[in-house]
Amino acid sequence: MLRFTLERLIGMVITMALVSVMVFLIMEIPPGDYADRYAFRKYSGTGVNVTEADIQAIRADLGLDKPMMLRYFDWIGGIVLRGDFGQAFAFETSVVKVIGDKGWLTLGILFATLLVTYLVSIPVGIFAAVRRASAMDYGLTIFSYLGLALPNFLLALVLLYFANRWFGADIGGLFSDQYADAPWSLAKVWDMIKHLWLPAVVLAWSAVAYQIQTVRATMSDELNKLSVTVARARGVPETKLLIKYPARLAINPIVSTIGFDVNRIFSELPIVAVVLGLTELGELLLRAYLDLDMYVAGAILLLLTFTIVFMNFVSDLLLAWLDPRIKLGA
Amino acid sequence: MLKVENLSISFQTDEGMITPVQNVSFAVQAGRTLGIVGESGSGKSVSTKALMKLLPGNSRVSDEARMTYTDKAGREVRIDQLRPKGRDIRRLRGGEIGMIFQEPMASFSPVYTIGNQMIEAIRLHQKVTKKEARAQAIAMLDKVGISNPVGRVDQYPHEMSGGMRQRAMIALALAARPALLIADEPTTALDVTIQAQVLELMADLQRDLGMGMIFITHDLGVIAQVAQDVAVMYLGTIVESGPTADVIRNPRHPYTQGLLKAIPSLDALHDRLSPVPGDIPSPNERPTGCPFHTRCSQRLQGLCDQQLPPTVPLGPNRSVACWLETPEHRTGAEVDAQQQIKQQEPAQ
């Protein structure tokens, strides 16, 4: 297991390095840079005549005049060595400060969504497979189609409406008003958890619907395996039997697609965030691109892609733990 | 130690109700082996699964069925009255009645070691520590002839060779020391050399552990090697049963006779084998009367295709279900047989 973990770890680091190069290139692609934008913002309408030399001076001031290679290594070196993601030009502060809480909140929503997805879909899928062709099973199938067919921003609106009616007005956003600008405290975390369930449910909805069917299908296959009958024939109690033998293999396709789920959640988050009034990174990313505020955009892209790469690493380790044939290279 | 009477099993399928086992009765004595022989679809596996309550949910065991098992402590257990998910049947499974299946690879879960699955079986039925259970598992692996059992116990099934997995599977079934072993075609998937080794091993183990055994196979040759008693099944009924040597030397049912003729013999290498003519009918097109009459060369028109033959006792533990063996047809049948021989003579 140690050797396997080490191999995957090295693989992850290499992937992240390549990803960082790609992210940097993407940052470079839009024409112009923040120096142009800055000069335009500062002097447009003032009657001041801006020369190419002035822009060059701003560029030198911001450190954008160095060759690309050098800037890449400055940038990535700062991140790796000092946790410094560079300057957020438009905000005139550091990227870390700009992203700060938003990054954590995005990750919070991500993990809450994953948790809801797996905590619901795995047990329910197993249950549906064990009680195949029962009324419960058919009911779940109908729910699954519904879950797949509904766009989740619509679901967000519907849930928002009902949550508002049943639980009071302050359900949008991630915090109640009194905590929104308060420093972090236990009470604030609790307040966040109370708000987190709504976006988590909205984002998990379609994944739950889909993954229930996945677990149900693989669990049904696994239940028919001879090894399950053999285990039953040596007197293993039914619940223990289901968990130890078929379920362990049935969740394999779920675990192997954790990375896809993370990716999907990041893609769907911005529109859900707009509907629910959440502060997260998607909106900031868009703004950073419009402002050519490249280090903010870069940091966000890097955070999202690193999360996906890291979750793939976690998924690999979990798969190897679930099925030892994987790490033995069989 | 085990007595099964009037066992019928039916399944509700999309094509309607089928009854793959009808009115089957047999008994197993401690230390002896009962061989159940028959073609695929004759109901031999289904009958033994009923003993372990391992049948799927769409199946039904008839109300008249009585399955009585005498456990290690000498108590009688009515298996037919146990709940399929209850504690009592779980006590029997593995601990009193062990079962081995045709495919060793598929019998093990691929994600746990051989030892893990054996220790699980041992600890379900005996109050021992993990360490003691592990020592027992290693001893059992040694007993079934696996070399280096201390190293093998922590291996996964896919790390073993086919023959070794077969032995490990037997060790798994015997881990919790059952008093009765049900072996469902355990050697069918093996080549003949390994098959001979495994049969020998099973006979040795049975002797050492004093187990009763039910050995299911489609191969009468295998039965001759391992079983003291035999029951021949055809389409869910037992057509002939008795001590193996007697049945093989003196088969009375036309189906048993056909099976024996279909075994290659060293004395008659030049002759073509004579298979039993025709195919086994599908379970939802069960013939009326004697189930074998559609393939029987000696059938009595108007009787065999109309009425189910009675089970005729032929001696202690020996019986046959055939109209030809009933007192009123016996003589006639013998005359018919002699006539057949006479007709064949001019041709030779």
Side-chain angles (χ1 to χ4, degrees), chain B residues 122-138:
Chain B
I122 293 166
R123 296 196 70 202
L124 279 168
H125 298 286
Q126 295 169 27
K127 284 203 168 76
V128 292
T129 63
K130 254 192 179 134
K131 218 174 147 190
E132 287 164 336
R134 190 183 153 85
Q136 282 188 30
I138 291 169

Side-chain angles (χ1 to χ4, degrees), chain A residues 226-227 229-230 232-238 240 244-245 248-249 322-325 328 330, chain B residues 52 54 90 93-94 101 106-112 116-117 120-121 124-125 156 158 172:
Chain A
L226 179 61
S227 57
T229 305
V230 172
R232 199 170 279 134
R234 64 174 167 268
V236 184
E238 202 61 22
K240 188 192 171 192
K244 185 175 175 185
Y245 295 100
R248 178 165 174 162
L249 286 162
L322 284 174
D323 190 343
R325 283 172 297 182
L328 292 163
Chain B
M52 299 280 265
L54 289 174
R90 285 209 308 270
R93 289 176 183 163
F101 297 87
S107 293
F108 284 103
S109 164
V111 296
Y112 296 97
N116 178 306
Q117 296 173 65
E120 175 185 63
L124 279 168
H125 298 286
Y156 288 94
H158 64 266
L172 176 65

Side-chain angles (χ1 to χ4, degrees), chain A residues 214-289:
Chain A
T214 310
V215 175
R216 182 185 175 277
T218 46
M219 186 73 183
S220 303
D221 282 353
E222 289 297 328
L223 278 174
N224 290 330
K225 290 268 169 79
L226 179 61
S227 57
V228 175
T229 305
V230 172
R232 199 170 279 134
R234 64 174 167 268
V236 184
E238 202 61 22
T239 311
K240 188 192 171 192
L241 176 107
L242 289 180
I243 294 169
K244 185 175 175 185
Y245 295 100
R248 178 165 174 162
L249 286 162
I251 61 173
N252 183 305
I254 296 251
V255 173
S256 58
T257 53
I258 290 178
F260 294 102
D261 274 338
V262 174
N263 197 354
R264 186 190 52 77
I265 292 166
F266 280 154
S267 317
E268 292 178 0
L269 183 53
I271 190 160
V272 172
V274 168
V275 174
L276 294 181
L278 308 174
T279 46
E280 53 82 51
L281 291 174
E283 193 200 353
L284 185 63
L285 176 64
L286 199 65
R287 202 133 55 90
Y289 255 113

Side-chain angles (χ1 to χ4, degrees), chain B residues 228 230 240 242-252 314 316 318:
Chain B
Q228 288 88 39
V230 63
E240 181 163 9
T244 310
D246 201 14
V247 171
I248 286 179
R249 239 178 262 132
N250 185 18
R252 302 293 277 273
L314 299 170
R318 180 95 167 85

